[in-house]
Amino acid sequence: MKMYSQRLCLEPLKPDHAELLFDGLQSASIYDFIEDIPPQSVESLRDRYIVLARRQSPDGTEIWLNWAVWSFVDKCYIGYVQATITVDNSAILGYVFFPNLWGKGYAREAVKCMINYLVETYQNLDFCADVNVHNHRSIALLHNLGFVRSTFFQNIHSHQDEFNHEVQYRKR
């Protein structure tokens, strides 16, 4: 189901979004604070989206919800938001926005739209997001949305063979 906010449309992620999001996901600064690397090809991204579009983990214990975010203002895709619903009623949130559009409030608007949908659709969710301690933009976003600092994780191993510190933020 598509969701709308004042300036955005959140479209359920489909394999066809791979070509539309690929170029934006190549920006190195996206990966400064997240456990991911730029997709190697449109085909590899499409393969990943085929799995995500199933909306459920292979073992059936998690619901995977992912949306590509379209800006009506800029007339382009600007990133994606995601939520993983676990058996213990946690909603683990994630979001990636293209750096050329940072600072316009799109992340706040999209994440808020997603949270509103999740509150209406699922009962008694405990929202959480894990954030690198140096990702000040993401921390500010979560504070703005009413999240509070919960747990500190030291020396989380990353794909870049580095160790990072993360903080979990929660909202009920």
Side-chain angles (χ1 to χ4, degrees):
M1 174 181 92
K2 288 184 180 181
M3 297 183 290
Y4 298 91
S5 66
Q6 182 177 352
R7 303 176 297 164
L8 305 174
C9 176
L10 282 64
E11 302 173 357
L13 191 69
K14 297 183 286 194
D16 293 346
H17 284 112
E19 188 171 353
L20 303 168
L21 296 173
F22 180 80
D23 288 341
L25 292 172
Q26 296 305 302
S27 178
S29 57
I30 289 174
Y31 305 95
D32 287 346
F33 303 115
I34 63 173
E35 296 292 313
D36 209 348
I37 59 172
Q40 300 302 304
S41 66
V42 172
E43 294 74 26
S44 67
L45 189 59
R46 183 177 293 112
D47 290 345
R48 181 176 176 188
Y49 289 176
I50 287 170
V51 173
L52 293 176
R54 295 180 187 146
R55 300 174 58 92
Q56 186 173 326
S57 63
D59 65 4
T61 61
E62 296 177 338
I63 299 169
W64 293 343
L65 304 171
N66 297 270
W67 293 270
V69 181
W70 172 266
S71 166
F72 294 117
V73 176
D74 294 287
K75 297 181 179 22
C76 63
Y77 287 94
I78 60 172
Y80 63 84
V81 294
Q82 58 190 34
T84 298
I85 311 295
T86 64
V87 292
D88 67 352
N89 266 2
S90 289
I92 304 164
L93 305 184
Y95 38 86
V96 169
F97 289 87
F98 305 152
N100 62 318
L101 296 164
W102 288 352
K104 293 188 172 190
Y106 287 143
R108 184 184 57 76
E109 190 173 331
V111 173
K112 185 176 181 178
C113 183
M114 174 177 60
I115 289 172
N116 289 343
Y117 166 80
L118 294 171
V119 167
E120 292 172 11
T121 307
Y122 298 91
Q123 299 296 319
N124 301 315
L125 288 176
D126 181 26
F127 294 96
C128 63
D130 295 339
V131 182
N132 182 297
V133 295
H134 300 294
N135 190 345
H136 303 293
R137 285 181 177 275
S138 191
I139 290 169
L141 166 68
L142 292 169
H143 278 290
N144 184 277
L145 292 171
F147 283 73
V148 295
R149 184 178 170 142
S150 171
T151 309
F152 178 76
F153 301 103
Q154 190 168 353
N155 295 327
I156 304 296
H157 190 261
S158 75
H159 294 293
Q160 293 88 8
D161 289 325
E162 300 170 350
F163 288 95
N164 297 309
H165 305 308
E166 291 186 352
V167 176
Q168 185 171 83
Y169 285 82
R170 301 186 83 81
K171 175 180 175 156
R172 195 103 175 90

